[in-house]
Amino acid sequence: MIPVTEFRQFSEQEPAFRVLKPWWDVFTDYLSVVMLMIGVFGCTLQVVQDKIICLPQRTSIANQTIALPNKTELVSPVVSQDVHEMMGLKTNLDLQQYSFINQMCYEKALHWYAKYFPYLVLIHTLIFMVCSNFWFKFPGSSSKIEHFISILGKCFDSPWTTRALSEVSGENPEEKVLLDNKKNSASRAILNVSVEGNLDNLEKTQSLKSIPEKIVVDKPTASALDKKEGEQAKALFEKVKKFRLHVEEGDILYVMYVRQTVLKVFKFLLIIAYNSALVSEVQITVKCSVDIQDMTGYKHFSCNHTMAHLFSKLSYCYLCFVAVYGFTCLYTSYWLFYRSLKEYSFEYVRQETGIDDIPDVKNDFAFMLHMIDQYDPLYSKRFAVFLSEVSENKLKQLNLNHEWTPEKLRQRLLTNHNNRLELQLFMLSGLPDTIFEVTELQSLKLEIINNVTIPASIAQLENLQELSLYQCCLKIHTTATSFLKENLKVLRVKFDDSRELPHWLYHLRNLEELYLIGSLSPDASKNVVLESLRELKNLKTLSLKSNFTKIPQSIVDVSSHLQRLYVYNDGTKLVMLNNLKKMVNLTELELVHCDLERIPHAVFSLTNLQELDLKENNLHSIEEIVSCQHLHKLTCLKLWHNSICYIPEHIKKLGSLERLYFSHNKIEILPSHLFLCNKLRYLDLSNNDIRFIPPEIGVLQSLQYFSVTCNKIENLPDELFFCKKLKTLKLGKNTLSLLSPKISYLVLLTHLELKGNHFELLPPELRFCRALKRGGLVVEDVLFETLPSDIRDKMKAE
């Protein structure tokens, strides 16, 4: 005999999978068990009892059978002469003859339905069982189901689920933590152990508040998540995201469930059809005619099917169960095709919880949630928390606050170049709330941080004056905007798209310095950025690092108070600069990497200009420099990193110049007129092709910095050492072979660069350069050793 328990493998699944079995699947499982018992019971009767009993039919009533011990004989009684007596064979195998007759009649005369009915029941029931649970076993679907159930259980148990729902529902978080403990225990029992029963008829419109799940304890636990729980919840969010992307791609679960349901309906119709037609063939009395007369002496037999009555009753009973099973499958089919099960809306969850950003899902993800709702809608409600970006951001914020304590933030404070206490945060998942407890903070620098939200609590940073946002996606509270309007002095924004620019920067009425770094088309710069700058009434410095082709007209809106304008192009040719003429209050102007071929004429109208920087352009000739004589306040001119071949003699008319940068050009000859700019304090001629320094350099009595590094100079004029205010003298990487003893005239010298020349020794007169130390003397070590030991010791001494 085969125990019934052996058939459990056809229908048994993981206990946790029961949450994906709606009531109709549970009901049909029980029906399958009953039908299986009918089949097993019928098969058992077939084995342990005689199947059929047959008796021979005589051709004449005169024949009589006389039973003798151990044998059967046909004896002819005394009859009249006209009656024919039938004679049989005499044999000692009477019991074997009857068994043979029974077997032959069972095979030849009994209808196949009466013979195989219990086996048919058993086979059909096993097919029903396999169909009902095939999607749990099929590799392509079972892996998704196992993953889903695993994530579902963790989401249900997570303390973050309770916290999130309690916040949006307005319940006491401490009470929610207590009732969460109870729900977690219940969920583990459902997902990891056999389920005793479903929660009673939870409707979609039923609020979580209405579920009686609170318990009373003496000492409630804290509502805050610890760091470990926060990290676990964070990992769950990532798992849910990846699982959603994977499952929403296909609909294999839906297709598998539909196919197995359709197969069950088809089998139901088939079973009802042929069983209804053949159940009448199960009869108690069966007439049997078998041509075995030569062995038994009889051809016709009358047989009794011993289990016919029981099989008949069992078949009718089986038909009833199959009918109920079939109608249940028909209801399932109606549910599958009438409802849109490949789409799932969390509308009721959004309305009930107030979490408005929970997205709707589709395909297999939607189908499994529909199945879960048939078990208990509370599961999908708690699962939805991990689909919400708002919920995820709150969790990230909580984890950030755990990681970045106020003490840790204070340890990262540094003083920046503006002499402000600055905190720099790089590539975080958000902005820690604890930062607003560091009240001494003056400058905040955020780099590559997504989902930055500045709350109203920024008002606690009373000393905050500088804010830097480098590739950050920013949201700001209304109250925080008001605070920044009043307090922010410096703002730096680096962006990839003009749409990333924060709209509130246009209303910072007390802003003094604005630095914008990012790609802007001319139209974008006009419409998005500069049109709104007119509200920045206190703006004094504007820096634009972009791809302009012209100076936007809107800059004129701040011309009345703008003092410094910096334009850093990406190599795009800056063509139209007429708007510069209106910037009459500019004191500093930088046009860097703008592919300029001439000094713009618009510059010569800026009568208040003090510093002009034309770095990294395409200047070859600067003949128009003569027009700079009208810029009486111009003290600094930077023409470095260009292709200038010569310096025109008109340079002498720039009598107010104090700093002049000609480095990284192609200058070969220094005109003597250059040194008529007798106010020069800083002169940089490095990285050119200069071979000779005119003796007129001695006129520059105010010169403090002079650099001719990386040229082709062979000799130095003695007049150079008459510039007694020199503090920095850079002569490195030339072809000098002798340093004049008159170097002793430069008593204020603190930095002397000689490395990369052809010197064989250093003059001992360096002893008179009392401010020169070893660190300020850039020379080969071997050459330094040529100095007397007392000079070397003195230079090495602090």
Side-chain angles (χ1 to χ4, degrees):
M1 288 300 295
I2 303 176
V4 180
T5 54
E6 292 296 324
F7 297 100
R8 292 178 59 188
Q9 59 177 318
F10 294 101
S11 63
E12 192 177 57
Q13 69 276 339
E14 295 292 334
F17 287 3
R18 298 189 181 187
V19 295
L20 287 177
K21 292 184 74 69
W23 67 265
W24 52 81
D25 278 350
V26 176
F27 181 61
T28 53
D29 282 348
Y30 283 113
L31 289 178
S32 297
V33 172
V34 175
M35 291 186 289
L36 182 66
M37 293 178 64
I38 291 176
V40 172
F41 179 62
C43 291
T44 304
L45 291 178
Q46 288 276 64
V47 173
V48 300
Q49 292 188 8
D50 292 333
K51 301 174 183 178
I52 193 170
I53 299 175
C54 297
L55 294 176
Q57 285 186 334
R58 298 177 180 178
T59 57
S60 173
I61 59 173
N63 290 337
Q64 296 181 4
T65 302
I66 302 174
L68 299 175
N70 299 327
K71 69 178 180 177
T72 302
E73 292 184 356
L74 293 178
V75 183
S76 298
V78 179
V79 293
S80 61
Q81 294 296 327
D82 56 348
V83 178
H84 177 71
E85 181 180 1
M86 184 177 183
M87 302 297 292
L89 297 178
K90 295 181 180 180
T91 176
N92 293 328
L93 303 175
D94 54 348
L95 184 59
Q96 285 78 1
Q97 285 179 322
Y98 278 110
S99 296
F100 179 74
I101 293 170
N102 292 343
Q103 187 64 34
M104 290 297 295
C105 288
Y106 180 79
E107 295 295 335
K108 299 293 184 181
L110 193 63
H111 194 274
W112 66 267
Y113 180 77
K115 291 188 289 185
Y116 302 121
F117 165 73
Y119 304 107
L120 292 173
V121 172
L122 188 61
I123 292 172
H124 288 316
T125 304
L126 290 179
I127 294 175
F128 277 139
M129 289 182 170
V130 170
C131 287
S132 296
N133 299 282
F134 185 72
W135 71 317
F136 292 129
K137 304 291 185 179
F138 185 69
S141 56
S142 62
S143 59
K144 289 184 178 180
I145 294 175
E146 290 174 2
H147 198 182
F148 175 73
I149 294 299
S150 174
I151 294 177
L152 181 69
K154 293 176 181 178
C155 292
F156 197 96
D157 288 344
S158 175
W160 175 249
T161 310
T162 301
R163 180 185 176 93
L165 291 176
S166 65
E167 287 180 356
V168 297
S169 63
E171 296 188 9
N172 187 342
E174 293 184 352
E175 292 180 352
K176 290 297 295 180
V177 170
L178 298 178
L179 60 90
D180 182 60
N181 294 334
K182 180 179 179 180
K183 291 301 296 178
N184 288 348
S185 300
S187 67
R188 294 188 187 97
I190 292 172
L191 297 173
N192 301 322
V193 193
S194 61
V195 182
E196 295 295 335
N198 297 352
L199 297 176
D200 295 331
N201 300 326
L202 184 63
E203 300 294 336
K204 285 186 177 180
T205 57
Q206 184 180 10
S207 172
L208 187 63
K209 296 181 181 180
S210 65
I211 302 174
E213 53 181 3
K214 298 183 181 180
I215 58 175
V216 179
V217 295
D218 295 333
K219 296 181 180 180
T221 58
S223 62
L225 299 181
D226 58 28
K227 185 176 181 180
K228 182 179 180 181
E229 291 172 335
E231 291 298 326
Q232 290 174 346
K234 181 180 178 181
L236 266 180
F237 273 105
E238 293 299 322
K239 287 183 179 179
V240 170
K241 282 183 181 179
K242 294 179 180 179
F243 178 75
R244 180 187 173 192
L245 290 175
H246 173 62
V247 175
E248 281 191 321
E249 292 177 353
D251 57 354
I252 185 173
L253 296 179
Y254 175 78
V255 171
M256 290 291 297
Y257 194 83
V258 169
R259 287 178 178 177
Q260 68 185 34
T261 302
V262 171
L263 180 59
K264 288 191 289 185
V265 171
F266 174 76
K267 281 198 63 64
F268 150 69
L269 296 175
L270 177 65
I271 293 172
I272 291 295
Y274 86 81
N275 274 270
S276 300
L278 298 178
V279 68
S280 59
E281 298 295 334
V282 182
Q283 299 177 357
I284 298 177
T285 302
V286 179
K287 299 298 183 179
C288 177
S289 297
V290 186
D291 190 13
I292 54 174
Q293 191 171 357
D294 56 341
M295 297 182 64
T296 62
Y298 294 92
K299 183 178 182 181
H300 302 286
F301 305 91
S302 178
C303 303
N304 177 31
H305 186 195
T306 58
M307 292 173 288
H309 180 74
L310 181 58
F311 278 8
S312 177
K313 302 302 180 184
L314 287 178
S315 62
Y316 283 112
C317 184
Y318 173 65
L319 283 174
C320 293
F321 282 118
V322 170
V324 176
Y325 191 102
F327 285 120
T328 305
C329 292
L330 289 174
Y331 172 81
T332 304
S333 302
Y334 168 80
W335 182 78
L336 285 172
F337 297 109
Y338 176 76
R339 300 186 61 178
S340 179
L341 299 181
K342 296 175 71 172
E343 296 178 356
Y344 188 91
S345 174
F346 284 100
E347 182 62 29
Y348 80 97
V349 179
R350 291 193 287 264
Q351 293 177 356
E352 186 175 341
T353 63
I355 305 177
D356 296 329
D357 70 323
I358 301 175
D360 295 336
V361 295
K362 60 184 180 179
N363 288 337
D364 280 344
F365 202 177
F367 178 65
M368 285 190 287
L369 289 173
H370 280 295
M371 299 293 281
I372 286 290
D373 281 347
Q374 298 300 317
Y375 186 85
D376 187 349
L378 183 60
Y379 279 91
S380 59
K381 178 179 178 180
R382 295 177 73 88
F383 188 79
V385 171
F386 288 88
L387 294 171
S388 166
E389 289 188 7
V390 171
S391 176
E392 183 179 9
N393 291 337
K394 288 182 179 180
L395 176 64
K396 289 179 179 178
Q397 193 65 47
L398 187 64
N399 289 336
L400 273 176
N401 296 340
H402 281 305
E403 181 180 359
W404 295 92
T405 62
E407 294 74 18
K408 184 176 180 179
L409 293 173
R410 286 188 174 93
Q411 293 174 2
R412 297 175 63 91
L413 288 177
L414 297 173
T415 303
N416 64 9
H417 65 281
N418 290 330
N419 201 29
R420 293 189 177 108
L421 278 178
E422 183 175 88
L423 174 63
Q424 180 177 0
L425 298 177
F426 179 73
M427 291 189 69
L428 299 184
S429 58
L431 188 65
D433 292 331
T434 50
I435 198 173
F436 307 116
E437 299 179 25
V438 187
T439 54
E440 65 270 26
L441 185 63
Q442 296 176 308
S443 174
L444 178 59
K445 186 176 183 180
L446 307 176
E447 294 188 56
I448 315 178
I449 301 179
N450 294 323
N451 301 320
V452 177
T453 300
I454 299 182
S457 53
I458 195 175
Q460 300 176 20
L461 304 180
E462 298 177 353
N463 297 315
L464 184 65
Q465 297 181 358
E466 186 173 336
L467 179 61
S468 301
L469 304 172
Y470 291 173
Q471 295 178 322
C472 295
C473 182
L474 187 69
K475 297 179 182 178
I476 188 168
H477 193 273
T478 306
T479 307
T481 304
S482 302
F483 170 80
L484 294 178
K485 284 182 181 180
E486 300 297 330
N487 293 272
L488 204 60
K489 304 294 183 184
V490 180
L491 176 63
R492 294 181 176 86
V493 182
K494 183 177 181 181
F495 53 92
D496 294 324
D497 192 315
S498 59
R499 290 172 294 183
E500 298 176 8
L501 283 173
H503 65 278
W504 46 265
L505 73 84
Y506 312 135
H507 310 290
L508 302 176
R509 53 176 173 266
N510 287 324
L511 192 67
E512 297 178 358
E513 300 179 24
L514 175 61
Y515 301 84
L516 299 178
I517 306 172
S519 178
L520 290 170
S521 65
D523 290 339
S525 65
K526 178 179 177 182
N527 299 329
V528 177
V529 180
L530 299 179
E531 280 190 357
S532 300
L533 295 181
R534 66 187 64 177
E535 298 186 24
L536 308 182
K537 302 300 183 182
N538 293 308
L539 188 65
K540 293 181 175 60
T541 301
L542 176 60
S543 175
L544 303 173
K545 188 173 183 180
S546 186
N547 55 346
F548 295 112
T549 58
K550 63 180 180 178
I551 300 296
Q553 175 66 29
S554 301
I555 288 185
V556 180
D557 296 333
V558 293
S559 61
S560 61
H561 45 81
L562 191 64
Q563 298 177 3
R564 291 172 290 275
L565 175 61
Y566 308 125
V567 177
Y568 301 88
N569 255 15
D570 58 359
T572 303
K573 190 176 184 62
L574 191 58
V575 180
M576 301 180 63
L577 298 103
N578 292 333
N579 288 331
L580 283 178
K581 295 179 180 180
K582 302 176 183 179
M583 313 296 292
V584 294
N585 292 317
L586 279 183
T587 59
E588 296 181 19
L589 175 62
E590 293 186 11
L591 302 175
V592 177
H593 205 32
C594 297
D595 196 25
L596 299 175
E597 297 179 357
R598 296 280 183 176
I599 299 177
H601 290 283
V603 172
F604 307 136
S605 302
L606 307 178
T607 55
N608 291 313
L609 195 64
Q610 299 177 14
E611 182 175 330
L612 175 61
D613 188 351
L614 300 178
K615 181 182 179 182
E616 293 181 351
N617 282 284
N618 194 24
L619 299 177
H620 293 275
S621 173
I622 54 173
E623 288 291 340
E624 59 276 356
I625 200 172
V626 65
S627 300
C628 289
Q629 63 182 319
H630 304 297
L631 306 179
H632 301 294
K633 297 181 180 181
L634 187 64
T635 60
C636 179
L637 179 60
K638 298 180 179 180
L639 300 174
W640 48 350
H641 295 269
N642 281 281
S643 300
I644 300 171
C645 298
Y646 68 97
I647 302 174
E649 64 177 20
H650 306 301
I651 192 77
K652 65 183 179 181
K653 296 182 179 181
L654 306 183
S656 61
L657 277 182
E658 296 181 3
R659 290 181 293 160
L660 183 58
Y661 296 75
F662 272 117
S663 65
H664 294 84
N665 280 283
K666 300 178 181 179
I667 299 172
E668 297 181 1
I669 299 175
L670 290 179
S672 58
H673 303 286
L674 172 63
F675 304 107
L676 295 179
C677 302
N678 52 18
K679 290 185 179 180
L680 280 177
R681 294 184 292 107
Y682 187 106
L683 180 58
D684 187 356
L685 299 168
S686 60
N687 295 90
N688 281 282
D689 297 322
I690 301 170
R691 297 178 180 273
F692 174 73
I693 299 177
E696 286 81 1
I697 192 172
V699 177
L700 303 180
Q701 291 299 304
S702 299
L703 194 63
Q704 299 179 14
Y705 180 100
F706 181 60
S707 175
V708 287
T709 304
C710 296
N711 279 280
K712 300 176 182 179
I713 300 173
E714 298 178 358
N715 297 294
L716 296 174
D718 290 341
E719 288 79 3
L720 174 62
F721 303 105
F722 295 157
C723 303
K724 296 182 179 180
K725 292 184 179 181
L726 268 177
K727 295 181 179 179
T728 300
L729 179 59
K730 294 186 176 182
L731 306 171
K733 296 183 181 179
N734 282 280
T735 57
L736 298 171
S737 59
L738 179 65
L739 183 62
S740 173
K742 293 182 180 180
I743 190 71
S744 60
Y745 295 171
L746 306 180
V747 294
L748 299 179
L749 197 64
T750 59
H751 186 90
L752 176 61
E753 182 178 337
L754 301 173
K755 195 172 184 178
N757 284 282
H758 301 158
F759 294 114
E760 295 182 0
L761 53 84
L762 294 177
E765 284 78 8
L766 282 174
R767 73 171 68 244
F768 298 105
C769 301
R770 297 181 178 87
L772 186 62
K773 302 298 181 183
R774 180 65 182 96
L777 179 59
V778 182
V779 68
E780 291 86 351
D781 292 338
V782 175
L783 195 57
F784 179 72
E785 295 298 326
T786 62
L787 287 173
S789 60
D790 60 328
I791 299 178
R792 296 199 307 269
D793 295 340
K794 184 179 179 180
M795 286 186 175
K796 292 179 181 179
E798 293 296 334

